[in-house]
């Protein structure tokens, strides 16, 4: 279960680099998540159309053209999520 802790100052409207980083990272994460999921959907739908139509060029071409961008955005979003786990002091809830 993830928890969200307030800034060390205790004020909800606290200003500073940590508060700014928290305000900036969440929209970036959400945008990255939507972008790579949409790119993945485009790849899968293109491949499905290629398989249904018997067009191997469309199946492999979808990954060649969109796959790299999708993978880069997914990787950057994952790294951002990792950084956010420290910014927001999330607890993994698991035992070591």
């Amino acid at each position: 279960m993830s928890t969200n802790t307030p800034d060390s100052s205790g004020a909800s409207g606290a200003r500073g680099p940590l508060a700014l980083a928290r305000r900036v990272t969440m929209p970036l994460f959400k945008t990255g998540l939507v972008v790579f999921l949409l790119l993945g959907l485009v790849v899968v739908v293109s491949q499905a159309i290629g398989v249904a139509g018997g067009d191997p060029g469309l199946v492999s071409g979808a990954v060649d053209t969109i796959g790299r961008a999708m993978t880069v955005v997914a990787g950057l979003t994952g790294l951002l999520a990792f950084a956010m786990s420290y910014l927001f002091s999330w607890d993994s809830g698991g035992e070591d």
Side-chain angles (χ1 to χ4, degrees):
M1 188 141 212
S2 54
T3 58
N4 212 353
T5 59
D7 290 319
S8 59
S9 65
S12 60
R15 305 233 183 247
L18 185 59
L20 176 64
R22 288 179 179 173
R23 280 195 315 270
V24 169
T25 55
M26 187 60 78
L28 285 175
F29 172 76
K30 289 178 181 179
T31 302
L33 185 67
V34 168
V35 168
F36 89 75
L37 288 174
L38 286 175
L39 288 172
L41 181 66
V42 169
V43 168
V44 170
V45 168
S46 299
Q47 288 180 328
I49 292 169
V51 167
D55 185 3
L58 184 58
V59 174
S60 62
V63 175
D64 292 342
T65 58
I66 301 170
R68 182 179 299 231
M70 177 187 63
T71 305
V72 168
V73 173
L76 292 174
T77 303
L79 290 172
L80 187 58
F82 179 74
M84 287 171 59
S85 71
Y86 289 99
L87 285 172
F88 289 93
S89 301
W90 290 332
D91 182 21
S92 65
E95 293 185 30
D96 294 329

